[in-house]
């Protein structure tokens, strides 16, 4: 690791750098205390730096206990105006306690990943929640929790659903999760994907990224789904689709990305071929039923770092990667998403925070879509950095678009 653990990621996050430069003078977040909970590795470090450059005081936690990188915490905590409430190697209780301590500082804005801080502030620090100006949520699982909170009418402040923007889920979930999950499966196992059968559970944004890229590497792909439209999309994209009970029987690999629990469970275990490799790229550690594996196994070994092997009596040896936790974030080789894709995700979180702090929208409590203009502006910044030019509409084209009578049309 270089002396500055963020230096490498900074090189790959030009959009964040341009935001820091643009807002470094105006300081739109001056006077705001911003809480950030996200996997605390180098890209998150650059994001925190960017918010700090725009004037914010930062309170920093991890979105879960296992992905925190020590050097990043150390580098951030040396900066005046950045306070960290998380450490590498923390167990769950200590991580939870750190989040409560953070919330007691009374943040004005909460930028969350998984709705951990936002749920906690409502549940256990209601007096703090009442003073929060707004929040942003960066992942699918967090949006689901927020939707449930919004349905119950219990949100105390507006929250932007950053995950649901095209600039987030079309890139981070599809390409970021796709590339980083597969590369970590390959690094952890040192085994090939080409010519293997890869079962992907879930054909949402993450699952389709994994399935398409696995096929690109030469794998035969089978998708499992519970949503008929997603299943149909998978079929029409050229994947085979089958229920898990069938797909499991021919899997060399099973990768889950559903956001749900027990996608691989006790009833599937006996069907799995000997030597199958299971990995989770979806939600926390619940997609593969590890308790079922533990109960079924007569012996558990560790044939390789990051691989837990369950020896089922008279059955297969089942290899579980990263203990069923997120393979791209918590395995021995994991470095999370590629920095370029976190560049745009965090740029969206930054723009959400800036809009909540400075915007003239009078938002009441609730879950809101991020304004489309912010999404397009981040896309534009990214394209500019890549040196990619696009067309502008002519005046005539714009008029045609905006004319509901279609007076200029031929019929
Ligand atoms: P999504 O909602 O677009 O897709 C999930 C898909 O799983 C849906 O099509 C749904 O029908 C399907 N599904 C649900 N239960 C299923 C089951 N029992 N069997 C088969 N399919 C099932 O969500 P997205 O954006 O793809 O995210 C999926 C999960 O990945 C979420 O938990 C999200 O938080 C997580 N995620 C993980 C990342 C990582 O770095 N590993 C990055 C981004 C998201």
């Amino acid at each position: 690791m270089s002396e500055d653990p963020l230096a490498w990621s900074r090189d790959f996050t030009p959009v964040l750098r341009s935001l820091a430069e643009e807002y470094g003078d105006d300081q739109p977040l001056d006077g705001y205390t911003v809480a950030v909970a996200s996997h605390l590795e180098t890209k998150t470090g650059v994001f925190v730096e960017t918010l700090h450059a725009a004037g914010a005081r930062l309170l920093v936690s991890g979105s879960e206990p296992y992905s925190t990188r020590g050097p990043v915490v150390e580098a951030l905590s040396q900066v005046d105006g950045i306070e960290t409430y998380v450490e590498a190697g923390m167990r769950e209780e200590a991580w939870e306690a750190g989040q409560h301590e953070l919330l007691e500082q009374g943040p004005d804005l909460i930028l969350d990943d998984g709705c951990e801080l936002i749920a906690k502030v409502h549940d256990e620090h209601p007096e703090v929640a009442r003073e929060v100006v707004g929040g942003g949520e960066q992942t699918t699982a967090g949006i689901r929790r927020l939707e449930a909170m919004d349905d119950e009418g219990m949100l105390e402040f507006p929250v932007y659903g950053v995950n649901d923007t095209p600039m987030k889920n079309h890139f981070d979930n599809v390409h970021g999760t796709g590339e980083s999950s597969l590369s970590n499966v390959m690094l952890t196992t040192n085994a090939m994907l080409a010519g293997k059968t890869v079962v992907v559970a879930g054909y949402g944004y993450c699952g389709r990224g994994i399935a398409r890229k696995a096929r690109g590497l030469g794998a035969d792909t089978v998708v499992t789904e519970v949503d008929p439209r997603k299943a149909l999309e998978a079929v029409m994209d050229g994947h085979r689709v089958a229920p898990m009970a069938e797909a499991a029987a021919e899997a060399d690999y099973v990768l889950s990305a559903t956001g749900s629990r027990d996608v691989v469970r006790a009833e599937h275990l006996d069907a799995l071929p000997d030597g199958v490799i299971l990995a989770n790229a979806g939600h926390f550690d619940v997609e593969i039923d590890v308790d079922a594996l533990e109960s079924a196994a007569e012996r558990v070994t560790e044939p390789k770092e990051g691989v837990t092997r369950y020896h089922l009596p008279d059955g297969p040896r089942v290899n579980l990667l990263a203990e069923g936790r997120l393979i791209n974030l918590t395995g021995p080789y994991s470095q999370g998403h590629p920095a370029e894709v976190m560049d745009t995700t965090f740029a969206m979180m930054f723009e959400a925070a800036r809009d909540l702090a400075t915007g003239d929208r009078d938002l009441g409590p609730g879950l809101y879509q991020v304004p489309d203009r912010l999404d397009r502006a981040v896309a534009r910044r990214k394209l500019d950095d890549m040196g990619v030019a696009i067309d502008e509409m002519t005046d005539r084209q714009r008029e045609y678009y905006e004319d509901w009578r279609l007076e200029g049309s031929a019929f």
Side-chain angles (χ1 to χ4, degrees):
M1 187 71 75
S2 74
E3 267 180 33
D4 178 353
L6 308 185
W8 180 263
S9 291
R10 235 178 255 128
D11 281 350
F12 290 88
T13 47
V15 177
L16 288 178
R17 282 207 320 275
S18 79
L19 288 168
E21 214 166 281
E22 180 166 343
Y23 296 111
D25 289 337
D26 287 359
Q27 301 274 288
L29 299 179
D30 186 25
Y32 286 89
T33 298
V34 181
V36 172
S38 192
H39 300 284
L40 200 46
E41 30 88 25
T42 55
K43 285 87 70 178
T44 308
V46 180
F47 173 45
V48 168
E49 259 183 0
T50 310
L51 293 160
H52 186 251
R57 170 190 172 216
L58 271 305
L59 312 172
V60 182
S61 174
S63 48
E64 49 111 331
Y66 304 104
S67 52
T68 303
R69 303 287 166 190
V72 176
V73 178
E74 208 177 306
L76 291 178
S77 55
Q78 281 165 16
V79 180
D80 221 19
I82 301 181
E83 295 158 37
T84 54
Y85 293 84
V86 68
E87 280 168 27
M90 261 182 169
R91 306 307 295 177
E92 254 172 77
E93 303 72 45
W95 165 75
E96 296 262 4
Q99 293 212 322
H100 288 297
E101 204 189 324
L102 180 158
L103 290 169
E104 280 155 17
Q105 310 308 308
D108 303 304
L109 295 166
I110 298 181
L111 302 180
D112 216 347
D113 176 352
C115 192
E116 286 296 334
L117 284 178
I118 294 176
K120 279 191 187 78
V121 80
H122 283 87
D123 223 15
E124 291 168 77
H125 305 270
E127 69 299 340
V128 177
R130 282 193 286 276
E131 301 299 319
V132 172
V133 174
E137 169 54 50
Q138 118 184 18
T139 201
T140 314
I143 297 285
R144 256 181 235 135
R145 293 176 79 181
L146 282 164
E147 281 167 351
M149 290 172 79
D150 200 22
D151 286 349
E152 285 180 31
M154 66 171 295
L155 280 173
E156 293 280 4
F157 49 84
V159 182
Y160 273 145
V162 173
N163 178 72
D164 292 348
T165 60
M167 280 309 292
K168 200 282 179 176
N169 57 20
H170 293 191
F171 299 94
D172 175 313
N173 299 29
V174 176
H175 297 285
T177 311
E179 285 196 20
S180 62
S181 298
L182 291 177
S183 57
N184 276 289
V185 167
M186 290 188 282
L187 283 169
T188 309
T189 60
N190 194 25
M192 285 181 83
L193 288 176
K196 303 284 179 63
T197 300
V198 175
V199 174
V200 180
Y203 202 67
Y205 291 103
C206 295
R208 76 187 50 177
I210 294 169
R212 286 176 190 162
K213 287 168 197 289
R215 193 176 48 193
L217 289 164
D220 178 26
T221 45
V222 185
V223 167
T224 73
E225 252 299 343
V226 292
D227 178 331
R229 287 168 305 187
K230 298 285 175 63
L232 191 56
E233 272 187 76
V235 171
M236 294 215 180
D237 284 348
H239 307 288
R240 287 190 285 139
V241 171
M244 182 57 83
E246 268 174 44
E250 57 169 320
D252 293 304
Y253 296 84
V254 181
L255 272 82
S256 66
T258 68
S260 188
R261 59 175 308 126
D262 306 335
V263 178
V264 179
R265 51 186 180 271
E267 70 196 66
H268 304 128
L269 299 185
D270 281 335
L272 290 167
D274 184 46
V276 67
I277 290 163
L278 309 183
N280 169 30
H283 185 48
F284 203 24
D285 61 355
V286 296
E287 301 219 0
I288 297 166
D289 187 351
V290 181
D291 289 345
L293 275 167
E294 265 160 21
S295 318
E298 63 182 6
R299 208 153 56 85
V300 181
T301 56
E302 192 185 337
K304 199 173 181 311
E305 196 190 3
V307 184
T308 313
R309 177 171 284 172
Y310 295 89
H311 301 253
L312 306 192
D314 306 320
R317 291 169 303 161
V318 177
N319 298 305
L320 177 67
L321 306 191
E323 298 172 29
R325 301 198 282 256
L326 301 184
I327 180 62
N328 60 334
L329 282 152
T330 61
Y333 305 94
S334 301
Q335 299 181 55
H337 282 24
E340 289 102 320
V341 92
M342 291 316 296
D343 192 25
T344 40
T345 294
F346 284 140
M348 289 304 302
M349 291 293 273
F350 178 97
E351 287 293 49
R354 193 177 61 81
D355 194 73
L356 286 163
T358 63
D360 48 15
R361 299 180 78 198
D362 190 15
L363 300 174
L367 179 61
Y368 292 90
Q369 285 185 349
V370 180
D372 201 48
R373 65 187 154 78
L374 299 179
D375 203 59
R376 286 173 189 274
V378 169
R380 179 75 64 178
R381 269 181 205 268
K382 184 74 180 173
L383 284 174
D384 285 350
D385 176 71
M386 295 167 95
V388 177
I390 60 171
D391 284 324
E392 293 290 337
M393 276 196 219
T394 64
D395 289 345
R396 202 155 171 234
Q397 284 170 338
R398 198 175 301 282
E399 278 162 25
Y400 186 70
Y401 251 58
E402 287 164 6
D403 175 12
W404 63 268
R405 290 195 176 86
L406 298 181
E407 279 174 350
S409 70
F411 45 82

